[in-house]
Amino acid sequence: MTDTTSIVKPYSREWLLSDRPTSRKQARLGRAYVIWRRFSENRLALAGLGIILALVFVAIFANVLAPHSPVQGDLRNARLLPPGTDGYWLGTDDQGRDILSRLIYGSRLTLFVVVLVAIIAAPIGLIVGTVAGYAGGWIDAVLMRITDIFLAFPKLVLALALVAALGPGIENAVLAIAVTSWPPYARIARAETMTFRNSDFIAAVKLMGASPWRIVLKHVIPLCFSSLIVRVTLDMAGIILTAAGLGFLGLGAQPPLPEWGAMIASGRRFILDQWWVAAMPGAAILIVSLGFNLLGDGLRDALDPKEAGQ
């Protein structure tokens, strides 16, 4: 009898959904296809993905999309103009600068903070959690007590203390947020590691002579990626709010950089009469944070192993 997998066209739907993949590439592509199909069934998740893709697009082409300079204004003719006046779609601030242009360029700072915090905090938490969960004993106790110390402080308060010690600036704000963001990732990675550190496939790898570090790096850490990706995506909104809070207090990005939190701080003096100065960057933070939350919820459902078995 002819094997049906040999007559299925590569990269077709039947090829991707085959229960007997003939290569690692086919297995990986098939899993990615199943995850995307489950993710695409969630309309809110697709809306969140659209918001994030729009943010990335705006950040990349900010110099093309922005109608005016984000740092230079017209104090004589364009100070505190309401939305829609003289081509200023979202109005102007107290320095006569176009708010829309500042929001567009501010998207770059938002992505800068989010990406750098994720790059710094996620690997630290992943390594600490997997090592603690796999090693156990005194190593687990020491690493988790260090994690508990960081978790004992409110994130914003600890970030404020670190930025105050390091000095105001966007780079120091990123470092402070990253230092306060890794403990939850360590907890998740440790819990995931402890569920399968005594499993049969780990025992088989040990019998083949693999060292503990190789087991952690090659076999344990990849199994924690799904949970970590979901948690990082859900934490993006909190990272944005923390960065905006530091900017609002004058400890984040410094003027004249168009950081959204700093824009709200400069507009709070005009909140009663010129509401748009503070409301527009606030709306931008709301929309982007909502987008990351919707995307994280969708990824959580798509990557859930329970969903895969249904």
Side-chain angles (χ1 to χ4, degrees):
M1 182 180 295
T2 303
D3 188 1
T4 56
T5 58
S6 61
I7 60 176
V8 175
K9 294 182 179 180
Y11 305 104
S12 64
R13 183 175 181 274
E14 293 78 9
W15 184 81
L16 292 172
L17 296 178
S18 173
D19 56 352
R20 295 182 179 180
T22 58
S23 64
R24 291 184 178 181
K25 180 180 179 181
Q26 182 180 358
R28 291 171 180 172
L29 291 177
R31 173 169 169 75
Y33 175 75
V34 172
I35 292 174
W36 167 251
R37 190 173 64 174
R38 291 202 300 266
F39 179 84
S40 61
E41 293 174 353
N42 189 334
R43 294 185 178 181
L44 291 178
L46 290 178
L49 178 62
I51 292 173
I52 303 308
L53 292 179
L55 176 68
V56 174
F57 177 82
V58 169
I60 293 175
F61 298 101
N63 56 340
V64 177
L65 298 175
H68 301 280
S69 170
V71 296
Q72 295 180 355
D74 186 0
L75 279 173
R76 181 185 297 272
N77 302 312
R79 184 175 185 271
L80 295 175
L81 293 179
T85 303
D86 296 336
Y88 296 103
W89 293 356
L90 298 182
T92 59
D93 61 7
D94 58 316
Q95 301 296 320
R97 297 171 297 194
D98 180 37
I99 293 178
L100 175 60
S101 299
R102 289 179 62 79
L103 290 179
I104 291 175
Y105 274 91
S107 63
R108 289 182 171 180
L109 293 176
T110 300
L111 280 180
F112 174 79
V113 172
V114 166
V115 172
L116 277 188
V117 169
I119 291 175
I120 296 172
I124 294 175
L126 182 61
I127 293 174
V128 170
T130 52
V131 171
Y134 183 78
W138 67 269
I139 297 178
D140 181 23
V142 171
L143 292 178
M144 286 301 101
R145 296 301 75 76
I146 295 175
T147 303
D148 291 339
I149 292 174
F150 280 90
L151 288 173
F153 294 93
K155 182 182 294 187
L156 182 58
V157 174
L158 185 57
L160 285 172
L162 292 174
V163 174
L166 298 173
I170 187 67
E171 295 84 3
N172 292 338
V174 169
L175 181 60
I177 297 173
V179 169
T180 61
S181 298
W182 68 266
Y185 307 146
R187 283 291 188 182
I188 291 176
R190 176 179 179 270
E192 290 281 339
T193 303
M194 293 183 67
T195 58
F196 47 72
R197 69 179 179 181
N198 295 322
S199 58
D200 293 339
F201 77 94
I202 294 294
V205 174
K206 288 181 181 179
L207 291 176
M208 295 174 64
S211 65
W213 278 109
R214 181 177 179 83
I215 294 174
V216 170
L217 294 176
K218 297 291 186 179
H219 301 280
V220 176
I221 287 181
L223 293 174
C224 300
F225 279 159
S226 297
S227 299
L228 191 70
I229 290 173
V230 173
R231 180 56 191 258
V232 169
T233 306
L234 290 172
D235 281 351
M236 293 301 185
I239 293 171
I240 293 173
L241 293 176
T242 303
L246 294 176
F248 182 86
L249 297 173
L251 297 176
Q254 299 299 296
L257 291 177
E259 198 274 326
W260 293 347
M263 292 174 63
I264 295 177
S266 65
R268 71 182 186 275
R269 297 173 296 167
F270 316 102
I271 192 66
L272 295 179
D273 297 324
Q274 290 81 26
W275 54 269
W276 58 88
V277 181
M280 296 306 177
I285 294 174
L286 171 64
I287 293 173
V288 174
S289 299
L290 178 63
F292 275 115
N293 281 331
L294 294 176
L295 178 62
D297 288 338
L299 288 176
R300 180 186 59 194
D301 295 338
L303 295 174
D304 189 358
K306 296 179 180 178
E307 295 289 334
Q310 294 178 359

